[in-house]
Structure formats: structure tokens, C-alpha cells
Amino acid sequence: MSIDQSTAAKVAKLARIKVEDDALPALASEFNTILGFIEQLNEVDVEGVEPMVSVEPMRLKRREDVVTDGNQQAKVLANAPDAREGFFAVPKVVE
């Protein structure tokens, strides 16, 4: 697959990147270099290779899934512009 200048301009517009017309050939060339690298990766035989998250085998630390109130009600309500009786007070929006 090859990227031409008009496709590079379209990608730049979609990414909301301002690219001058004289810079489009270089951008198209960079895109083609990236796509060439991806094509090389597609040629690698990965049959039987397990997906991995890290180069070092490790397990994530686990904790018991318990619902708590956080024990920080006073700290949380300290950020509220208006707190009453332990809750956020908000203006009425429904008549």
C-alpha cells in the first residue's frame, strides 16, 4: 500500500494538523515508511506465540473486590460548593 500526497493531506486534515503544501511529499514519505515497517511485521511468523503484556512474566496484584464508602466523606465534601447533611447539595432542576 502506498500513500500519495492527496491521501497524506486528507489524513492531516482528519488529524487536524496543519501541513503546508510543500511539506506534503515528506509527510507522504513518512507514512510510506511506517506502512513499510508494518508490512515487515506482518511477515513475521507468530504461530504459537502467546500474547504478552510485558517482556517479564508477572501477575497483577489482586485485591478482594469489596464495596466500601471510602472513609473519606469529610474530604470529599470539603470540595463541594454546598454540602448539607453529609451530601452534595445541588440546585433543583426539575419543577
Side-chain angles (χ1 to χ4, degrees):
M1 179 177 192
S2 181
I3 301 290
D4 59 356
Q5 290 183 30
S6 64
T7 306
K10 187 175 181 179
V11 170
K13 181 179 178 185
L14 290 172
R16 297 177 188 215
I17 299 171
K18 183 177 181 181
V19 178
E20 300 298 331
D21 289 338
D22 59 336
L24 284 175
L27 182 63
S29 175
E30 285 184 47
F31 283 152
N32 286 321
T33 302
I34 293 168
L35 289 176
F37 181 68
I38 292 171
E39 287 175 5
Q40 285 180 356
L41 290 176
N42 285 334
E43 295 173 3
V44 176
D45 181 23
V46 293
E47 189 68 34
V49 177
E50 291 289 324
M52 55 191 228
V53 177
S54 173
V55 294
E56 187 141 334
M58 65 177 126
R59 293 191 44 88
L60 296 175
K61 295 180 181 177
R62 303 208 182 249
R63 62 173 171 79
E64 197 171 325
D65 193 12
V66 178
V67 177
T68 66
D69 64 358
N71 297 324
Q72 298 186 19
Q73 182 180 20
K75 288 182 182 178
V76 172
L77 290 176
N79 293 322
D82 188 9
R84 297 181 195 155
E85 300 176 14
F87 297 97
F88 286 98
V90 296
K92 184 177 179 180
V93 293
V94 178
E95 302 269 340

